[in-house]
Amino acid sequence: MFTTPNATGTIPFGEYRTWYRVTGELDAGHPPLIVLHGGPGSTHDYLLSLTELAAQGWPVVHYDQLGNGASTRLPDRGADFWTVDLFLRELDNLLDRLGVADDYVLFGQSWGGMLAAEHAVRQPTGLRGMVIANSPASMPLWRAEALRLRSGLPGEIRDALSRHEATGAFDHPAYQHAMYAYYQRHVCRADPIPPEVMRTLAALGSDPTVYGTMNGPNDFTVTGTLRDWSVIDRLRAIEVPTLLISGRHDEATPATVQPFYDEIPDVSWEILEESSHMPHVEEPERFLEVMTEYLDSLG
């Protein structure tokens, strides 16, 4: 279904290994698009549709961040290990090992966009552009908006969520059913859910170490180490042309994205009207158009 990769493998990251996949030729002319997946603790699979950009001459690099997928798993590590700095260092290592650190574009989705912003505020010399897709600039904003979105669910769904949260029964089937109702509205409105998205969800469920530590039990109950994260006061430092993408029904609501638009000096914003948190699978044709227009603008 997706473009066959030109290369796959793992690279050393200290004593660990980071799995990667390259679609297209890294020296083909355009800088590669480095894809940062969400979570934290997700996998690359649900973003494989971005490989279509390789046919337009933009090499695409996917990777599984440490702790999930085909990269090193570390289920016994605690909160002091799973930090934003860890994933920034892993990204730097990937860029260096692939030999692209002097010329690349970032695409970060959800948590990946948060990570991309953290990378960009350091003003790396090789960064040519950045796409922040479906990402909040602040987790306090995200938490507040999640409560607002949750209040719009049917009463019986809200009651089921509250009842099982009071006892910590996040694995109860009734709670899982209610959680899915939120996800159907605000995470992925595609029906059926594409198989590549299902693979990511299955991988996340099989090892929730990173997600549970940094985020919490689900997208609207953020109790982990990222609970108070924000990049808002540093966004002015971003020097590259930045595209923001979000969905009209996104759990990354306009209020959570607005600081990116207000603070990044060179920025544009595209809201896909029929999408929630995954426009790349909910409106794939329009998403590809938006990405192509942006990449072409980089020259």
Side-chain angles (χ1 to χ4, degrees):
M1 177 179 177
F2 300 110
T3 306
T4 302
N6 293 58
T8 63
T10 64
I11 56 173
F13 172 46
E15 59 188 296
Y16 315 117
R17 308 288 299 190
T18 299
W19 180 91
Y20 70 93
R21 164 193 169 122
V22 179
T23 308
E25 298 290 344
L26 289 179
D27 57 357
H30 287 308
L33 183 70
I34 313 298
V35 180
L36 282 58
H37 65 66
S42 187
T43 66
H44 77 284
D45 302 82
Y46 76 105
L47 292 167
L48 278 172
S49 62
L50 273 77
T51 58
E52 294 184 42
L53 293 164
Q56 302 176 26
W58 296 90
V60 180
V61 177
H62 288 83
Y63 73 104
D64 285 337
Q65 295 165 24
L66 193 66
N68 284 83
S71 295
T72 303
R73 308 283 192 90
L74 296 159
D76 298 326
R77 296 302 178 98
D80 59 336
F81 180 81
W82 302 111
T83 64
V84 173
D85 181 68
L86 170 73
F87 293 106
L88 286 172
R89 288 187 286 110
E90 182 184 33
L91 174 58
D92 287 342
N93 182 69
L94 177 82
L95 297 171
D96 288 337
R97 293 280 183 170
L98 294 181
V100 300
D102 61 345
D103 193 24
Y104 61 97
V105 179
L106 290 184
F107 175 93
Q109 198 275 337
S110 196
W111 147 253
M114 298 157 61
L115 186 62
E118 288 277 6
H119 179 83
V121 298
R122 302 182 304 167
Q123 301 178 347
T125 58
L127 182 61
R128 298 290 174 257
M130 175 172 62
V131 180
I132 296 176
N134 320 104
S135 306
S138 153
M139 287 306 279
L141 282 176
W142 173 279
R143 290 189 284 114
E145 286 296 281
L147 288 176
R148 184 181 66 80
L149 293 176
R150 177 171 160 161
S151 71
L153 294 171
E156 65 273 17
I157 298 295
R158 298 197 308 271
D159 291 345
L161 292 173
S162 298
R163 184 168 62 252
H164 293 291
E165 285 168 352
T167 61
F170 296 106
D171 292 331
H172 192 283
Y175 186 84
Q176 291 292 310
H177 175 76
M179 183 179 72
Y180 185 64
Y182 180 94
Y183 282 17
Q184 280 184 308
R185 283 193 180 194
H186 302 299
V187 178
C188 185
R189 297 165 75 91
D191 185 18
I193 296 176
E196 68 272 20
V197 177
M198 293 300 295
R199 287 198 300 273
T200 283
L201 294 175
L204 186 58
S206 71
D207 188 349
T209 302
V210 184
Y211 183 80
T213 300
M214 297 184 74
N215 185 83
N218 54 56
D219 285 8
F220 51 83
T221 310
V222 182
T223 56
T225 57
L226 286 176
R227 175 182 173 85
D228 297 318
W229 173 88
S230 176
V231 74
I232 294 174
D233 63 349
R234 293 171 284 146
L235 292 174
R236 285 280 167 186
I238 295 177
E239 297 180 324
V240 297
T242 300
L243 169 65
L244 309 175
I245 296 177
S246 60
R248 180 60 66 189
H249 310 282
D250 205 330
E251 59 181 345
T253 66
T256 72
V257 179
Q258 190 69 44
F260 287 127
Y261 190 72
D262 290 341
E263 298 295 327
I264 296 175
D266 186 355
V267 65
S268 58
W269 187 358
E270 189 75 31
I271 299 178
L272 277 72
E273 296 295 331
E274 304 302 322
S275 294
S276 60
H277 199 54
M278 298 188 186
H280 58 281
V281 298
E282 296 166 299
E283 293 183 73
E285 292 182 1
R286 178 58 186 148
F287 174 83
L288 190 61
E289 288 176 359
V290 171
M291 285 294 299
T292 300
E293 289 170 6
Y294 168 74
L295 291 172
D296 287 348
S297 75
L298 297 179

